Amino acid sequence: MKKKVLLMGASGSGKTSMRSLIFSNNPASLTSRLGATIDVEQNHVRFLGDLILNLWDCGGQDSFMDSYLTTQRPTIFQQVGVMIYVFDAESHEPIKDMEYYRDCLEGLRYFSPEAAIFILIHKMDLIREPQQLLDKRRQELQEVSGDVSIQLFGTTIFDQTLYKAWSSIVHTLIPNASILSKHLSIFAQACGATEVILFERTTFLVIATSSSGTGVASSAVPTYAKDGSDHQLEPTRYERTSELIKAFKYTCSRVREEFHTLELDLHDFSAVLDELTKNTYVLVILHDPTIETAAVKLNIRLARSKFETLQADSLN
Amino acid sequence: MAANHVSYDATSSNGRASRPPLNGSRHSSSSIQRTKVLVLGLRRSGKSSIQQVLFNNLPPKQSFYLEPTYRIVKTQIDTVVPLELWDTPGHATPESIGIPIGQFRSLIFVIDIRDLYNQPITKLVSFVTAAYQSNPDINIEVFVHKSEKLQEDDKIENFRHIQERVTDRLLDLAPEYENIQPNFYLTSIYDHSLHEAFSRVLHKLIDSLPYLEDMLNVFCANSQSPKAFLFDTKSRLYVATDASPVDTATHNLCCDYLEMLTSFGTLYKSTASTSRHSPPTTSEDPQLLSSNGASLTPSPTTSTGVPPQSSKKHPKEMFYPSAATSLHPSTPGTTLTYHEITSSLALLALVPTSVYEGRRGLLEYNVVFFREGVQEICDVEKETREGG
Ligand SMILES: Nc1nc2c(ncn2[C@@H]2O[C@H](COP(=O)(O)OP(=O)(O)O)[C@@H](O)[C@H]2O)c(=O)[nH]1
Ligand SMILES: Nc1nc2c(ncn2[C@@H]2O[C@H](COP(=O)(O)OP(=O)(O)O)[C@@H](O)[C@H]2O)c(=O)[nH]1
Ligand SMILES: [Mg+2]
Ligand SMILES: [Mg+2]
């Protein structure tokens, strides 16, 4: 299955940086060395095995913006699954940014009315009053977007917020993620786990969790565990796990090693992070001190083939 | 050696009200002997940033907002050796420090790598000569700092240049200064070079270092480990390592691993329940408290001839966190292990995955043996300090 993902926004807003951070395991510190994107850069990335994301990273210089909105209009806006519009939080031309956004929205409505729209207010690390700015932008953009529903995130390549936004984005591209969630929940119960989280292998984006009945990889509210206990866990844990493991994977690659598994036995909890299917990793969190990590590892091994099937189904 | 030091009641004149105190200050009992380290350098060379990044978890980028240092600021840091770092303003002179320079065990001199003028060297030389008069054994540590600013070639060239200038100037002054052997390090707060350099500075201050190193050597030999570090968990400085050479990439991997584990540890901590491992009780059954299979009861082994002495102060039933990450999907892969040794020290070791998976009991036994040895050394050190 192939999905077209448009990455739009003014030149310099951070589109290519975030793409390289999420999809090719580059650290944030190297993004300043990226060259400017000329015109449109098309990339195919394989996600979850059978899902192919066709990423259109659109340059964003004025001249190109003008041509997207005129001659190239159908080419760009046809058959879009998701449009991600990136605003530089520190933009010096907010009015022009908004005009381009409005034009893109028009094109999308005409050629791909079903497309999901994500708006990222990016480079939030540069902003002193982040919440204030987000509220303001949200209001403005909702007004401009009218009855089109948008999802807005504040992001920066320097922390977990980018993973949170992108987990939500890819989530809209996995039609049956709720099946995975349901089975993760069953698996959590079988293991006596507080929580089980499924990550896509290369991006380490969250695909599904045992705690989200609806399958939405949302972490806005603190989650109460599935094991009947009253554990209340840190609300940003999913995206921060993505960020931490991704950074550690990069570290490993620097010493020509490859991150494979992790197990922890700490004061407050123990955890196992291991491959579940060819394209996913699973994180099992245990708060019950009587459960052995070795038993969890065995359970993971036993669940592999079942989840291979489920994962394939989740894309249909 | 600690007894030579004049006791000094550190009253930290802390100018950084906006940030919490450095992590050391919770044990601010003034009765223990602290090893004094003087941090020098021109203004804006990076002295305060270095200390904040190492000991106060300051994100490097935020060092930009640090206030200038107007007076001497003393901070107590609890690593294996209790330290007292003296941060100085750029205009400090040997006379303005307030105590004889010879009372410091080490001078850390910070020079911006792009600063090739005479000023920093003149300042360094004035301190070094003042120190040498009263304490010829003082450690002179030169951090050629902000090294990430330069490309590889320029970096090496400036580093060599600064090194030569310092030695030449000292020799010009008096032939006896030939005995002064400053140590030079390339450092930057933006990578692990700072941690590695400061670790090496710290090693010279640890009187029990040879014992720790011996124990690491024994651990490595018995566990087939090519490399093991004893880390100070909070600062991520390594306190000791085995005799095999330190490869920077491996050191960096261990630093990052430690950092990742620390962050991870807070993420899935339940706010609703208390710690699932109860504090040590009088229970005799180690299985009760050391959960998850890795029994802490030493299993019989042939690799180490000496049985572990049972330590009275640290009951074996205590729970010690551990972790492991395997770094290659196929055999023969490497596993990087983490074992808490004391509340502030952790053992990080590279072991063959075959040993980690196939001979777990042996590995755990070796860790227990190592832990008991280290705990004993720490206790002795502590007694000496408190008694002095
Ligand atoms: N401060 C900050 N800079 C960023 C962030 N994301 C990207 N950048 C920088 O913004 C510049 C332009 O990024 P680039 O990805 O080329 O933008 P594009 O033209 O939209 O593809 C680069 O120097 C990046 O390092 C961010 O989150 N925060
Ligand atoms: N590029 C770079 N800048 C640094 C480094 N260390 C410190 N700085 C910067 O140097 C400036 C002066 O630092 P500060 O610690 O106040 O210097 P001090 O006067 O010697 O205490 C600050 O803007 C820091 O951000 C480094 O390793 N690399
Ligand atoms: Mg670009
Ligand atoms: Mg300062």
Side-chain angles (χ1 to χ4, degrees), chain B residues 277-292:
Chain B
H277 293 283
S278 22
T281 63
T282 50
S283 164
E284 288 301 304
D285 183 359
Q287 286 292 334
L288 277 180
L289 288 158
S290 70
S291 75
N292 298 13

Side-chain angles (χ1 to χ4, degrees), chain B residues 90 123 148 226 297:
Chain B
K123 187 176 165 79
E148 97 288 347
T297 322

Side-chain angles (χ1 to χ4, degrees), chain B residues 44 46-49 67-69 87-89:
Chain B
R44 300 198 58 77
K47 302 179 290 298
S48 305
S49 308
E67 297 273 314
T69 315
D87 191 8
T88 58

Side-chain angles (χ1 to χ4, degrees), chain A residues 56 86 94 138 154 159 164 184 189 198 202 204-205 230 234 241 250 291 308:
Chain A
W56 292 47
V86 183
R138 189 188 307 275
D159 71 21
K164 180 176 178 160
L184 286 178
Q189 251 153 20
L198 194 66
T202 47
F204 253 87
L205 294 172
D230 56 351
E234 167 67 40
T241 302
Y250 176 72
I291 296 166
E308 288 285 2

